[in-house]
Amino acid sequence: MDIDYRLAFDMAPVGLVLSRNRSIVDCNQHVCEMFGATREQLTGQSFQILYPSADEYERTGARMLPILNAKGHYADDRIMKRVDGRLKGETFWCHVTGRALNRAAPHESGIWTFEDLSSRRPVKAELTAREREVAAHLMDGLTSKEIGRALGISHRTVEIYRARLMRKYKASTTADLVHKLMEG
């Protein structure tokens, strides 16, 4: 039986992107639907268009580089932004997984999956870029010290962001905050 790999790529039940130097070389229909864009709008573009801010794009790239170098793959939950369509500009939680095709030069080329988590985890509060990063790490179960190391900031600064998140989500404890973040 011959397998049509192009058809399999296009019809995959998860968003797939082939990348080169943090730009979109190709993507499947699921990614187009998720981000509200056509393949023509996405191919050749920097991944930056999928992020709420240029700063988040840069920091995410810097954060994932040593992990891709060491392991060859990377995964996290992050807030992304719809590119076009009726939901243009809307932010949403997305699970992103990637594999570098060359671990020595991780951004050179890779394959990435995108899963829209908005039905399970809507974005309810308006968060800053750094609050989104801290929230994502809190949901991964990291302590303030671990988050500080991951983001290159002091654990006391992380605690300030966590306190802001707790106010915005009206959470009484960190566990309550994580629960509310998971709900949206």
Side-chain angles (χ1 to χ4, degrees), residues 125-142:
E126 286 295 318
L127 304 178
T128 66
R130 187 62 89 180
E131 287 169 342
R132 286 191 286 269
E133 288 179 322
V134 170
H137 286 300
L138 283 171
M139 289 187 295
D140 286 340
L142 273 62

Side-chain angles (χ1 to χ4, degrees), residues 151-175:
L151 298 178
I153 59 178
S154 79
H155 73 279
R156 293 193 190 281
T157 303
V158 172
E159 288 167 3
I160 290 168
Y161 283 108
R162 187 178 57 197
R164 287 183 190 167
L165 287 166
M166 289 176 73
R167 276 194 307 277
K168 286 183 178 186
Y169 280 89
K170 296 177 176 57
S172 55
T173 65
T174 299

Side-chain angles (χ1 to χ4, degrees), residues 4 48 56 108 134 169:
D4 182 345
Q48 184 175 327
E56 285 174 270
E108 180 181 85
V134 170
Y169 280 89

Side-chain angles (χ1 to χ4, degrees), residues 24-183:
I24 301 167
V25 174
D26 198 4
C27 61
N28 69 358
Q29 189 57 37
H30 198 81
V31 167
C32 295
E33 291 164 5
M34 187 181 318
F35 288 97
T38 65
R39 182 176 274 134
E40 293 72 28
Q41 286 175 296
L42 296 176
T43 54
Q45 294 292 321
S46 163
F47 276 113
Q48 184 175 327
I49 66 168
L50 307 179
Y51 284 80
S53 71
D55 190 43
E56 285 174 270
Y57 166 78
E58 293 298 334
R59 285 203 303 248
T60 301
R63 184 174 67 241
M64 71 173 60
L65 192 60
I67 297 167
L68 279 168
N69 254 327
K71 297 181 178 179
H73 58 88
Y74 180 85
D76 70 13
D77 289 350
R78 65 181 79 147
I79 292 191
M80 304 294 287
K81 180 186 75 178
R82 310 228 193 254
V83 174
D84 206 355
R86 66 181 181 82
L87 300 175
K88 181 179 182 175
E90 177 188 78
T91 57
F92 66 102
W93 281 102
C94 190
H95 180 71
V96 180
T97 306
R99 177 168 300 281
L101 300 182
N102 176 2
R103 281 173 60 174
H107 287 316
E108 180 181 85
S109 61
I111 180 131
W112 297 89
T113 66
F114 293 81
E115 181 186 1
D116 185 342
L117 302 176
S118 60
S119 64
R120 289 177 284 185
R121 187 189 303 164
V123 177
K124 290 182 183 169
E126 286 295 318
L127 304 178
T128 66
R130 187 62 89 180
E131 287 169 342
R132 286 191 286 269
E133 288 179 322
V134 170
H137 286 300
L138 283 171
M139 289 187 295
D140 286 340
L142 273 62
T143 66
S144 291
K145 286 185 180 182
E146 291 168 328
I147 295 169
R149 277 194 298 274
L151 298 178
I153 59 178
S154 79
H155 73 279
R156 293 193 190 281
T157 303
V158 172
E159 288 167 3
I160 290 168
Y161 283 108
R162 187 178 57 197
R164 287 183 190 167
L165 287 166
M166 289 176 73
R167 276 194 307 277
K168 286 183 178 186
Y169 280 89
K170 296 177 176 57
S172 55
T173 65
T174 299
D176 185 33
L177 173 62
V178 170
H179 176 74
K180 289 179 177 187
L181 286 167
M182 293 293 209
E183 288 181 338

